[in-house]
């Protein structure tokens, strides 16, 4: 069951490094068996700010198979929203850890991007550290080749047949390139790594460990590269800070009411599950709801969540709905939100999720969307083998 939080419109996995590596192993197994590719994004404040004004990037991040918190602002934001993340999982830390896991498991890695010679140097250093690491290929195409979609880049990747493709084109170019070419590439795991090759090769120095742990890595980088980074950091600070305060205030206002355990009942209409939610869903009590919803998706990929009597959804509850929607769509089904109260509609609009979800006026409209038929008067029946109602407790 995937645990997602939504921070400033961007879903972020609540995960630690070991869990992230385990999930990547699962992606590789699935990719090898089915040819399915999985996109991984490591999210920082710059990603979030750019996605607020770039619908394409926002959709890519919303649909990523794994999205980790790379930047400390996301970790701090999650705490202030009362949905603390387990850990910060940065791309700069994940690539060496992934190389070690790949060496242990026999996975191959393709290094793509960065300045000429940097990817090769990074690959050599990692292979020296982990002698069993299999390097599937190394390439540093020119910016114009990447911009023009040179088919030779994709052909070389396909011919190498790596298990993992690391792409260092910079954000958002690398995320968009992966997204648009994922099917052609046929690689089980594809990950944008930004300047990670530069860190590994020693071209760019990382901040001391104590600065990384205290969230001051940005300050170290700013001091090292003030001309290149000051404008970006100033823009991120203003954009991220202003948007976060908006989200915090909106959701803080809603959390001042007493917590009421939500009631949910599960109904089945032919092959479509209807889950009615009443009350509040937040981090303290939403796990049983999530388990029941994911269990329902195990029976059918068609799910309607009726929020007519829902009072409040926090970032973790909204993250659960995002995860459910993604799982339903990956199984060639869908999830609809029905009868969304105005207060929750405003939160979804604030988080730029109103276009991610399929939102219907009521359950009948959702059923019509599912069936492609006229509005029906449906007599719902209990889901076979499951209780009609359930009290969701913490």
């Amino acid at each position: 069951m995937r645990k997602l939080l939504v921070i400033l419109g961007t879903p972020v996995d609540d995960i630690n490094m070991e869990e992230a590596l385990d999930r990547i192993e699962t992606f590789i197994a699935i990719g090898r068996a089915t040819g399915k590719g999985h996109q991984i994004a490591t999210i920082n404040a710059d990603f979030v700010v750019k996605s607020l004004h770039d619908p394409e990037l926002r959709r890519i991040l919303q649909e990523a198979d794994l999205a980790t918190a790379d930047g400390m602002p996301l970790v701090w934001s999650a705490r202030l929203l009362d949905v603390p993340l387990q850990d910060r999982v940065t791309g700069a830390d994940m690539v060496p850890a992934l190389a070690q896991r790949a060496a242990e498991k026999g996975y191959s890695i393709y290094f793509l991007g960065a300045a000429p010679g940097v990817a090769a140097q990074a690959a050599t250093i990692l292979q020296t550290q982990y002698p069993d690491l299999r390097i599937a290929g190394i390439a540093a195409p020119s910016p114009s080749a990447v911009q023009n979609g040179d088919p030779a880049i994709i052909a070389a990747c396909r011919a190498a047949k790596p298990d993992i493709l690391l792409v260092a084109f910079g954000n958002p170019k690398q995320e968009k390139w992966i997204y648009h070419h994922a099917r052609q590439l046929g690689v089980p795991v594809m990950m944008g790594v930004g300047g990670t090759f530069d860190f590994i090769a020693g071209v760019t120095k990382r901040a001391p460990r104590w600065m990384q742990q205290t969230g001051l890595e940005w300050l170290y980088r700013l001091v090292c590269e003030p001309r290149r980074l000051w404008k970006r950091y100033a823009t991120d600070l203003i954009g991220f800070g202003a948007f976060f305060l908006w989200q915090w205030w909106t959701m803080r206002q809603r959390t001042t009411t007493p917590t009421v355990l939500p009631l949910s009942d599960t109904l089945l209409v032919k092959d479509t599950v209807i889950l009615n939610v009443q009350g509040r869903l937040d981090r303290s009590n939403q796990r049983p709801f999530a388990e029941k919803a994911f269990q329902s998706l195990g029976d059918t990929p068609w799910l309607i969540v009726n929020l007519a009597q829902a009072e409040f959804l926090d970032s973790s509850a909204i993250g659960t709905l995002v995860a459910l929607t993604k799982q339903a769509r990956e199984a060639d089904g869908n999830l609809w939100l029905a009868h969304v109260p105005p207060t929750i509609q405003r939160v979804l609009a604030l988080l730029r999720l109103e276009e991610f979800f399929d939102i219907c006026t009521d359950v009948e409209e959702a059923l019509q969307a599912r069936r492609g038929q006229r509005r029906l008067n449906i007599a719902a029946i209990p889901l076979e083998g499951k209780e009609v109602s359930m009290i969701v407790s913490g």
Side-chain angles (χ1 to χ4, degrees), residues 274 304 338 360-370 373-378:
I274 303 172
I304 297 170
C360 296
T361 303
D362 52 33
V363 172
E364 287 189 358
E365 183 180 322
L367 286 168
Q368 181 186 20
R370 162 69 185 103
Q373 300 172 346
R374 60 183 175 81
R375 297 171 72 88
L376 302 173
N377 292 319
I378 300 294

Side-chain angles (χ1 to χ4, degrees), residues 209-282:
R209 178 62 64 178
W210 70 267
M211 295 189 80
Q212 297 176 35
Q213 294 174 341
T214 54
L216 294 175
E217 191 167 8
W218 66 272
L219 180 59
Y220 179 86
R221 294 192 63 193
L222 180 60
V223 171
C224 292
E225 301 180 84
R227 290 187 178 182
R228 187 175 75 87
L229 294 177
W230 78 266
K231 186 175 182 180
R232 167 185 154 181
Y233 283 170
T235 301
D236 290 350
L237 176 63
I238 295 170
F240 188 96
F243 192 90
F244 172 74
L245 286 175
W246 190 9
Q247 179 180 354
W248 178 84
W249 180 255
T250 300
M251 303 195 84
R252 183 73 174 176
Q253 291 291 95
R254 303 307 306 162
T255 57
T256 56
T257 56
T259 298
V260 178
L261 295 180
L263 173 69
S264 69
D265 61 85
T266 305
L267 308 172
L268 180 66
V269 179
K270 295 185 179 179
D271 61 351
T272 304
V273 171
I274 303 172
L275 189 62
N276 300 299
V277 178
Q278 179 182 341
R280 294 169 51 87
L281 279 179
D282 56 36

Side-chain angles (χ1 to χ4, degrees), residues 54-71:
D54 186 338
E56 182 184 25
L57 176 61
R58 182 165 65 247
R59 190 72 181 201
I60 290 170
L61 298 181
Q62 290 173 345
E63 294 183 359
D65 297 285
L66 175 63
T68 68
D70 185 287

Side-chain angles (χ1 to χ4, degrees), residues 49-99:
V49 172
K50 286 178 178 174
S51 72
L52 295 176
H53 310 288
D54 186 338
E56 182 184 25
L57 176 61
R58 182 165 65 247
R59 190 72 181 201
I60 290 170
L61 298 181
Q62 290 173 345
E63 294 183 359
D65 297 285
L66 175 63
T68 68
D70 185 287
M72 281 303 297
L74 275 80
V75 176
W76 294 330
S77 297
R79 290 174 187 167
L80 290 171
L81 290 170
D82 296 323
V83 287
L85 290 159
Q86 288 187 56
D87 204 358
R88 177 189 178 202
V89 182
T90 72
D93 292 325
M94 190 188 298
V95 170
L98 186 55

Side-chain angles (χ1 to χ4, degrees), residues 344-373:
I344 295 178
Q345 282 187 1
R346 285 195 291 271
V347 171
L348 295 180
L350 168 68
L351 297 177
R352 309 293 205 276
L353 289 170
E354 72 273 29
E355 293 183 2
F356 175 81
F357 291 116
D358 285 330
I359 299 176
C360 296
T361 303
D362 52 33
V363 172
E364 287 189 358
E365 183 180 322
L367 286 168
Q368 181 186 20
R370 162 69 185 103
R371 309 285 183 199
Q373 300 172 346

